[in-house]
Amino acid sequence: MNLVPTTVPDGVSLLLVDDHLIFLDGLSLALAPLARDLRVDSAASVQAAEQCLASHDYDLVLLDLKLPDESGLSVLQRWQREGRSTPVAILSASESAQDAHAARQAGALGFISKSASGAQLREAVGRLLLGENLPLPASEPATALTPRQQEILLLLAEGLPNKAIGRRLKLSEETVKTHLRSLFQTLQVHTRTACVTVARQRGWL
């Protein structure tokens, strides 16, 4: 069954931003049947992408999350602050629902997995070009924190060291460390900064 939308206008233009050149070539070939007179430009870095955007108006930018000079999420957030109006979707090897939701919050219209088939890719890009937002993947089930873990997380977000958290909650420093290890395991992180960042992304802070 042909999944490509039949109403994508002729002459649309896309900008693909990814630092893997072989992947860019394959992506261009996969998108070629999407519309007549399709223009597909590519950039291997954020700097190159911004040079393209300065010289041409694109209907859609497909942006990788991991780029050599700046992360995709950081780029999205900065472009939003700068008031750039070009629609952007993320095309990434990540299968994480968390990454997809973070991308949407940063301003992306959709999140497309690099594991998608050519037909799935053309369908997704076609829908974006027709003004739709792609549905987000289902979020991972939230793991409930204990009241004590929530208290420690809030104090961690304030930047308090373990000893100060213990004094505030009348706990030994070793008990605080035990709760932190549990939090790190729950959030699949290994630093305090990452713990706070992921907790905020999940809406726990």
Side-chain angles (χ1 to χ4, degrees):
M1 181 177 65
N2 183 11
L3 297 177
V4 182
T6 58
T7 53
V8 173
D10 296 340
V12 297
S13 58
L14 307 176
L15 176 61
L16 315 179
V17 188
D18 193 293
D19 61 333
H20 294 90
L21 300 182
I22 293 177
F23 175 76
L24 284 175
D25 289 343
L27 188 59
S28 297
L29 288 172
L31 289 169
L34 187 62
R36 286 183 298 181
D37 300 322
L38 177 71
R39 172 173 178 159
V40 181
D41 292 341
S42 60
S45 67
V46 175
Q47 182 179 13
E50 292 183 334
Q51 289 172 349
C52 290
L53 288 165
S55 59
H56 186 76
D57 291 328
Y58 293 94
D59 297 290
L60 179 67
V61 176
L62 294 180
L63 180 69
D64 191 16
L65 279 179
K66 296 181 179 178
L67 294 162
D69 48 350
E70 191 175 352
S71 76
L73 285 181
S74 174
V75 173
L76 269 172
Q77 291 164 345
R78 181 164 58 77
W79 286 355
Q80 288 289 307
R81 291 195 301 270
E82 292 172 354
R84 291 182 181 266
S85 58
T86 306
V88 178
I90 294 295
L91 181 64
S92 175
S94 172
E95 301 287 346
S96 167
Q98 180 180 311
D99 284 343
H101 283 261
R104 176 60 60 81
Q105 289 180 343
L109 301 182
F111 192 93
I112 306 169
S113 171
K114 287 184 178 180
S115 64
S117 68
Q120 290 170 331
L121 174 66
R122 289 189 293 274
E123 180 192 25
V125 172
R127 290 172 64 184
L128 289 165
L129 289 170
L130 293 173
E132 296 183 41
N133 287 2
L134 299 181
L136 290 171
S139 299
E140 299 167 3
T143 302
L145 300 182
T146 66
R148 182 64 79 192
Q149 287 174 333
Q150 184 66 48
E151 289 176 331
I152 289 175
L153 181 60
L154 289 170
L155 295 176
L156 188 66
E158 292 180 17
L160 297 184
N162 292 350
K163 189 173 291 187
I165 292 174
R167 283 199 301 268
R168 185 81 66 89
L169 299 177
K170 297 182 172 56
L171 299 173
S172 70
E173 191 172 353
E174 192 58 41
T175 299
V176 172
K177 289 180 181 178
T178 299
H179 284 299
L180 282 177
R181 282 194 293 269
S182 179
L183 277 170
F184 284 8
Q185 184 175 10
T186 297
L187 295 173
Q188 298 182 344
V189 298
H190 58 273
T191 68
R192 299 163 72 90
T193 299
C195 182
V196 171
T197 298
V198 173
R200 282 184 174 138
Q201 290 173 344
R202 292 194 180 188
W204 294 0
L205 286 171

